[in-house]
Amino acid sequence: MLEYYRQFTELKNASGAIYWAIGVFDGLHLGHQAVIQSAVAAAHRCGARAGVLTFANHPLTLVRPDLAPAAIIPDEKEKLQLLAQLGVDLVLNLEFTSALAGLEPYEFIQTLCTCSDTHGISIGEDWHFGRGGVGNVCLLREFAQEFGFDVTVVAPVIAKGARISSTRIRKAIQAGQFSDVAAMLTRPYAWFGEVIQGKQLARTLNYPTANIRPTGVLPPFGVYAVRVEIRGEFYFGVANLGIRPTVAAQQGELMLEVHLFDFDSDIYGEQLCVQPIAFLRPECKFASLVELQAQLANDSFQAKSICKGKNWLQNFPN
């Protein structure tokens, strides 16, 4: 079972030597996976345990909140599950606070080594740490000699001639380029959320929906063919991401409304994982509910046709 800690001082409960992977790891994309897997491999070689030191909030939320990016993985439970699948034994998920940001590079590493039996640290070659981000690979190697741990530096992962990064992935999501996103993440892009009570208007139109409030990086508003995971089972459907201009008197609340095919169960309070397969059309306002109902029928027909084919599998890496 994955051990989970939120503060340096809690590491006194973590037994044995630890080989750390350190980074923001906000997307757990192929580049992040390379750093983490190097720590896992090194830990296995030296008889240590593999740890990940990361942050509960992006550092920019404190340093430059106006530039803080939306989360690629807004669901913490999903992130921890992905880390466990990578072979990680424990996670130190620090809140990025003013006190943490104010630590000099030496103080940061000294604190980690004081609170844990640090056997090694794996980082990306462009990783910076400590107050003002002045700590770098060269400085970390100096500290490693003093504190007696190994350092592994991992090169960026390249795809289609460019470095895989969280920024690149956010841009691809915002452009709706789901096959590119899936290739860089090694998993489908997805919305996560709890099914909430809606106004049940769609039910009166014979298209009942499960509604969730999506968070994180979002693709263009519109209608999508989707695959949905509920209680470990998968279903196909059609979903609208947006503010529902036809039924909202004023600008509506951002919502993801999912109509599931061949499904008739009460799932209020259930957690959904909704994976977009294909973009069907932009969100738009209709003159009447009759027009909306006709369009819903057309959307469902298109989505079913797409889901019956195999082309959508490009968004779902093996």
Side-chain angles (χ1 to χ4, degrees), residues 73-220:
I73 313 176
D75 185 82
E76 183 180 76
K77 181 179 178 181
E78 173 69 11
K79 185 172 184 178
L80 293 177
Q81 288 176 343
L82 292 169
L83 288 172
Q85 291 169 11
L86 290 170
V88 174
D89 298 305
L90 68 155
V91 174
L92 174 58
N93 194 29
L94 296 172
E95 185 75 21
F96 197 83
T97 62
S98 298
L100 183 61
L103 290 177
E104 297 293 340
Y106 183 87
E107 292 176 303
F108 180 83
I109 297 301
Q110 182 186 45
T111 301
L112 178 63
C113 292
T114 300
C115 295
S116 69
D117 182 3
T118 300
H119 192 93
I121 294 176
S122 179
I123 56 170
E125 66 180 23
D126 59 348
W127 183 61
H128 289 78
F129 64 102
R131 187 167 67 88
V134 297
N136 55 23
V137 170
C138 292
L139 200 56
L140 182 64
R141 284 182 168 140
E142 290 181 19
F143 298 157
Q145 292 181 353
E146 176 178 346
F147 291 102
F149 59 81
D150 297 331
V151 174
T152 301
V153 180
V154 179
V157 176
I158 307 298
K160 295 185 177 181
R163 174 178 173 268
I164 293 177
S165 68
S166 296
T167 299
R168 181 180 172 188
I169 290 171
R170 287 187 181 92
K171 289 179 179 178
I173 292 172
Q174 291 164 347
Q177 298 166 344
F178 299 123
S179 59
D180 289 345
V181 172
M184 291 187 284
L185 292 178
T186 68
R187 63 185 184 276
Y189 168 78
W191 298 290
F192 296 89
E194 178 182 320
V195 180
I196 61 174
Q197 186 82 36
K199 295 182 178 179
Q200 299 188 330
L201 176 62
R203 186 174 297 276
T204 67
L205 301 176
N206 296 320
Y207 289 94
T209 60
N211 302 333
I212 66 174
R213 293 189 178 96
T215 57
V217 188
L218 297 175

Side-chain angles (χ1 to χ4, degrees), residues 45-59:
R45 287 195 301 269
C46 65
R49 296 198 298 157
V52 163
L53 191 163
T54 189
F55 304 98
N57 55 317
H58 196 287

